[in-house]
Amino acid sequence: MSNEPYKAQEIEQKWRRRWEEGGMHRVADADPRPKYYCLDMFPYPSGSGLHVGHWRGYVLSDVWSRYKTLQGYKVLHPMGWDAFGLPAENDAIKKGIHPRLGTDQNISTFRRQLDEIGAMYDWSREIDTTDPNYYRWTQWIFLQMYHQGLAYKSFMPINWCPSCKCGLANEEVVDGACERCGTPVIKKEMQQWMLRITRYAERLLRDLDTLEWPEKVKTMQANWIGRSEGAEVIFKTEVGGHKIPIFTTRPDTLWGATFMVLGP
């Protein structure tokens, strides 16, 4: 064994440069090897830099990509930026700058850090969800869903921060307060776009069996889809005979019903 110290800066920069110059991680369409697609969860460029949690996930997927390459596969391992939404907005509010400027600055830092780990990303296929060439297609997909009656507007309650004047995801509400400013969060009904995924509940649930995912993740997905089996029952008012349809998963318990309360 050699007692020569490992010169990280010198050795790793050398090989990163050689991989880049040789296009080692680029995937050519004409490559005859069988295809393999390894997809990471893209980071939110909404902070000053990556944290150790990013490395934990990205190192594992990079090791797997290299393993599949050694097995003879043409591996597509892309990287990109999930740059729209609350995290980017909150970061811009915190810094007092335009979200476009903050997102671009963060992406530049994230890309440099990811380059430093030498992961086999094909940067020629980089994805940026704030790029008009990308989101024009998400807008197109939304329009197709709208024309098919799958996208509609409805009043739904959201977590609302009166101080920040914005909606919050459940994860951003800590002990009943906004995690950024500490103001108590209220429920506020707002008109918002909804997707009618209930039309596909059966298919979504059935196709979960085709995924090589951990059982706990598939259970979470099934609970999120939230399909219930039951019956629609129609009650009639004593005065006027107005019909009140309800859905229940336990119609056998209705014989004990003595009163009914309707929301406003």
Side-chain angles (χ1 to χ4, degrees), residues 124-171:
S124 69
R125 298 173 186 256
E126 179 182 358
I127 297 293
D128 180 0
T129 59
T130 62
D131 184 345
N133 289 323
Y134 176 90
Y135 65 70
R136 67 181 291 245
W137 292 110
T138 61
Q139 292 174 338
W140 180 85
I141 291 171
F142 175 84
L143 288 175
Q144 308 315 305
M145 300 180 76
Y146 174 75
H147 293 319
Q148 293 296 323
L150 297 174
Y152 63 98
K153 275 190 173 182
S154 178
F155 280 94
M156 295 291 290
I158 67 168
N159 299 316
W160 179 261
C161 176
S163 174
C164 299
K165 292 181 171 48
C166 69
L168 303 175
N170 289 336
E171 294 79 7

Side-chain angles (χ1 to χ4, degrees), residues 196-210:
R196 208 182 303 273
I197 68 165
T198 49
R199 289 191 185 178
Y200 298 92
E202 190 66 40
R203 178 180 170 187
L204 289 169
L205 284 168
R206 185 175 63 248
D207 287 353
L208 284 176
D209 294 333
T210 67

Side-chain angles (χ1 to χ4, degrees), residues 59-223:
V59 166
L60 289 173
S61 58
D62 187 56
V63 169
W64 185 256
S65 295
R66 293 177 184 275
Y67 172 65
K68 299 305 289 186
T69 299
L70 291 172
Q71 285 187 322
Y73 286 90
K74 174 176 65 174
V75 178
L76 174 58
H77 189 199
M79 179 47 70
W81 322 106
D82 189 359
F84 266 144
L86 282 172
E89 293 174 11
N90 290 340
D91 186 56
I93 292 172
K94 180 180 179 181
K95 295 177 179 176
I97 59 177
H98 193 282
R100 173 78 275 169
L101 176 62
T103 298
D104 286 345
Q105 290 176 347
N106 292 338
I107 286 177
S108 177
T109 299
F110 280 32
R111 188 187 296 110
R112 174 184 57 78
Q113 290 178 310
L114 287 169
D115 274 337
E116 288 175 353
I117 68 172
M120 55 177 295
Y121 298 126
D122 184 352
W123 287 109
S124 69
R125 298 173 186 256
E126 179 182 358
I127 297 293
D128 180 0
T129 59
T130 62
D131 184 345
N133 289 323
Y134 176 90
Y135 65 70
R136 67 181 291 245
W137 292 110
T138 61
Q139 292 174 338
W140 180 85
I141 291 171
F142 175 84
L143 288 175
Q144 308 315 305
M145 300 180 76
Y146 174 75
H147 293 319
Q148 293 296 323
L150 297 174
Y152 63 98
K153 275 190 173 182
S154 178
F155 280 94
M156 295 291 290
I158 67 168
N159 299 316
W160 179 261
C161 176
S163 174
C164 299
K165 292 181 171 48
C166 69
L168 303 175
N170 289 336
E171 294 79 7
E172 295 175 305
V173 180
V174 180
D175 295 329
C178 172
E179 70 170 354
R180 180 172 61 238
C181 69
T183 301
V185 173
I186 63 173
K187 287 290 185 180
K188 182 177 181 179
E189 285 221 342
M190 295 185 67
Q191 191 180 44
Q192 52 192 300
W193 285 103
M194 311 291 292
L195 298 180
R196 208 182 303 273
I197 68 165
T198 49
R199 289 191 185 178
Y200 298 92
E202 190 66 40
R203 178 180 170 187
L204 289 169
L205 284 168
R206 185 175 63 248
D207 287 353
L208 284 176
D209 294 333
T210 67
L211 300 175
E212 295 181 7
W213 287 1
E215 284 302 317
K216 67 175 183 179
V217 176
K218 291 199 284 188
T219 298
M220 291 170 60
Q221 288 290 313
N223 292 338

